[in-house]
Amino acid sequence: MLRFVGQVSVSDVERQLRTRPGFTTDPDPGLIDLSDALGFDVVALLLLLSAMSERGANGLPTRFRLPSDQPARHILRSWRFPRAASIAAGMPFRMLVDQADLAYFGEDLPPLRVRGEAKGPRASVLAHLVERRHFGLSAYRIDDERSLTHMMAGEAARWRGYAMLQLLEKSLHGYVSDIARVVVQELAANVVQHPESSVAVVASQLDLVARAAPDLPPALTIAVWDNGASITQTLRARLRERGTVRILPPQRVDTFAVEAHGWAPSWSTYASDWSPGPDASDPELLLASLFPGVSRKSPPPSPDVSAAERSVDAGYGLFALYKTAVDAFHGTVELRSGQALLRLSRPTESDPYRARVALDEELPSFAGDIVIVRLPIRDA
């Protein structure tokens, strides 16, 4: 059983899973107990969906115990968690909850109010968007290329509304049109790169003030999880096939200062023209996935390719993502793949990128990948 109290954060989920490393493979019924939860980080919910999906891939059922706190239940409904869980599990949400919690189904709830929210015009616009369910979880079944196109178009449209753009303009660094044009587009397009994906969930959350957990500063969070083959699995399979994942040299070389946890890097800094070999570790493969020209795809027939072709076919998606999220918006990009975790930031434009890369063998291996962008809120 995983049991959560108060604000459910990413660190809470990781801590629970470390104390129960067999959760995703234990044949006993898996219970995720949210009965004492009061609030949620949206990425923590993605981690729980991924753990549930991993159990499902092992033929093991998972059940949820819903919050006893009514506003917390309302957050889960407003964020469309029941639908996301249902799509990820492939069964109705009623079959995923404790029998006693069926009494909560169909209850009348007051308008959603976010605890501890800021005051002022930005908070009013945020409340307007929250009530209209602009944030939370959007789950998609990935059946064919059309479903991916539908996901990408729908998610981009969510961030182009007038009220949303006005709020982001007053809250973020950078050009807010790039949220839909680059950040959301590249997050959704990343799903295309993962073979065997059948489910994708896009998550978003905007906090104008700090919440209870110390690791949750005010930020716009946008993330995507899919249940396909992970980044590290995909690149390693390609390395076995052809001995390299480098299909084009980068047009510009960036430097990454690596802070390693749980593994021994070959160097303290890596350049983006570095090409991992067959003996590269999972953390190194995860780092290399950021580098332009690194891809599971085949090399282009001619080196004379356009910028658009590079972006689509030559491993430039995560490059465009971190250039926008880190450089333009002063934010971070996080990748979670198997037991490898990477967090990318940059102190100043003149500094190398700072990559905190960890191999956490105490964590169970999650299904698929999670790519997370967190963009800090600037002062009004």
Side-chain angles (χ1 to χ4, degrees), residues 74-94:
H74 193 10
I75 291 172
L76 291 180
R77 286 196 187 91
S78 178
W79 283 3
R80 301 175 296 279
F81 179 76
R83 182 176 186 274
S86 177
I87 289 178
M91 64 180 66
F93 190 61
R94 284 178 172 271

Side-chain angles (χ1 to χ4, degrees), residues 190-229:
N190 187 63
V191 176
V192 181
Q193 305 301 322
H194 304 154
E196 304 170 18
S197 294
S198 61
V199 173
V201 181
V202 182
S204 62
Q205 182 174 4
L206 176 60
D207 293 294
L208 297 177
V209 297
R211 284 175 283 152
D215 57 345
L216 299 174
L220 170 66
T221 300
I222 309 175
V224 64
W225 165 70
D226 73 274
N227 66 344

Side-chain angles (χ1 to χ4, degrees), residues 235-276:
L235 291 182
R236 191 166 300 285
R238 199 59 169 153
L239 277 171
R240 292 193 188 104
E241 290 174 7
R242 67 178 189 218
T244 182
V245 289
R246 169 71 64 186
I247 63 174
L248 281 175
Q251 294 178 309
R252 171 183 171 181
V253 177
D254 289 329
T255 302
F256 297 77
V258 172
E259 177 188 336
H261 296 266
W263 64 289
S266 300
W267 303 277
S268 60
T269 61
Y270 288 71
S272 59
D273 60 353
W274 175 73
S275 300

Side-chain angles (χ1 to χ4, degrees), residues 51-363:
M52 180 189 71
S53 180
E54 185 70 19
R55 283 183 55 84
N58 293 322
L60 304 172
T62 305
R63 296 289 181 271
F64 292 93
R65 188 170 291 159
L66 298 179
S68 58
D69 179 71
Q70 189 182 62
R73 292 198 301 274
H74 193 10
I75 291 172
L76 291 180
R77 286 196 187 91
S78 178
W79 283 3
R80 301 175 296 279
F81 179 76
R83 182 176 186 274
S86 177
I87 289 178
M91 64 180 66
F93 190 61
R94 284 178 172 271
M95 298 177 63
L96 296 174
V97 302
D98 264 10
Q99 189 73 19
D101 289 343
L102 294 177
Y104 297 137
F105 283 54
E107 66 180 328
D108 293 328
L109 292 170
L112 178 62
R113 293 291 181 266
V114 180
R115 288 185 176 92
E117 190 49 79
K119 307 296 182 183
R122 290 194 302 183
S124 297
V125 177
L126 176 58
H128 168 81
L129 293 170
V130 167
E131 288 179 0
R132 281 152 183 78
R133 301 193 174 193
H134 277 265
F135 300 99
L137 305 172
S138 299
Y140 300 88
R141 293 184 179 90
I142 307 301
D143 303 313
D144 51 29
E145 190 170 333
R146 287 186 302 173
S147 60
L148 285 167
T149 302
H150 171 72
M151 178 183 71
M152 294 171 69
E155 289 303 315
R158 182 192 305 276
W159 299 91
R160 293 194 180 115
Y162 177 79
M164 180 70 78
L165 289 174
Q166 291 298 305
L167 175 60
L168 298 182
E169 185 73 39
K170 293 178 172 63
S171 303
L172 301 177
H173 307 276
Y175 295 105
V176 297
S177 60
D178 284 345
I179 298 296
R181 188 181 66 86
V182 181
V183 174
V184 173
Q185 183 79 7
E186 295 300 344
L187 282 171
N190 187 63
V191 176
V192 181
Q193 305 301 322
H194 304 154
E196 304 170 18
S197 294
S198 61
V199 173
V201 181
V202 182
S204 62
Q205 182 174 4
L206 176 60
D207 293 294
L208 297 177
V209 297
R211 284 175 283 152
D215 57 345
L216 299 174
L220 170 66
T221 300
I222 309 175
V224 64
W225 165 70
D226 73 274
N227 66 344
S230 69
I231 292 172
T232 53
Q233 289 173 330
T234 301
L235 291 182
R236 191 166 300 285
R238 199 59 169 153
L239 277 171
R240 292 193 188 104
E241 290 174 7
R242 67 178 189 218
T244 182
V245 289
R246 169 71 64 186
I247 63 174
L248 281 175
Q251 294 178 309
R252 171 183 171 181
V253 177
D254 289 329
T255 302
F256 297 77
V258 172
E259 177 188 336
H261 296 266
W263 64 289
S266 300
W267 303 277
S268 60
T269 61
Y270 288 71
S272 59
D273 60 353
W274 175 73
S275 300
D279 59 346
S281 64
D282 280 359
E284 286 178 316
L285 289 180
L286 195 59
L287 177 64
S289 72
L290 296 171
F291 301 165
V294 169
S295 174
R296 70 178 179 88
K297 296 183 177 180
S298 299
S302 167
D304 185 21
V305 295
S306 69
E309 289 173 316
R310 283 179 178 269
S311 176
V312 173
D313 293 323
Y316 271 64
L318 290 179
F319 169 80
L321 183 65
Y322 81 72
K323 282 295 184 183
T324 301
V326 176
D327 291 354
F329 286 91
H330 306 170
T332 62
V333 173
E334 299 176 38
L335 307 178
R336 291 172 170 267
S337 180
Q339 294 175 308
L341 305 90
L342 181 152
R343 183 180 185 272
L344 188 71
S345 60
R346 196 178 196 184
T348 69
E349 291 183 3
S350 60
D351 289 311
Y353 291 93
R354 183 177 297 168
R356 185 187 188 278
V357 191
L359 183 64
D360 194 339
E361 294 181 341
E362 294 182 354
L363 281 178

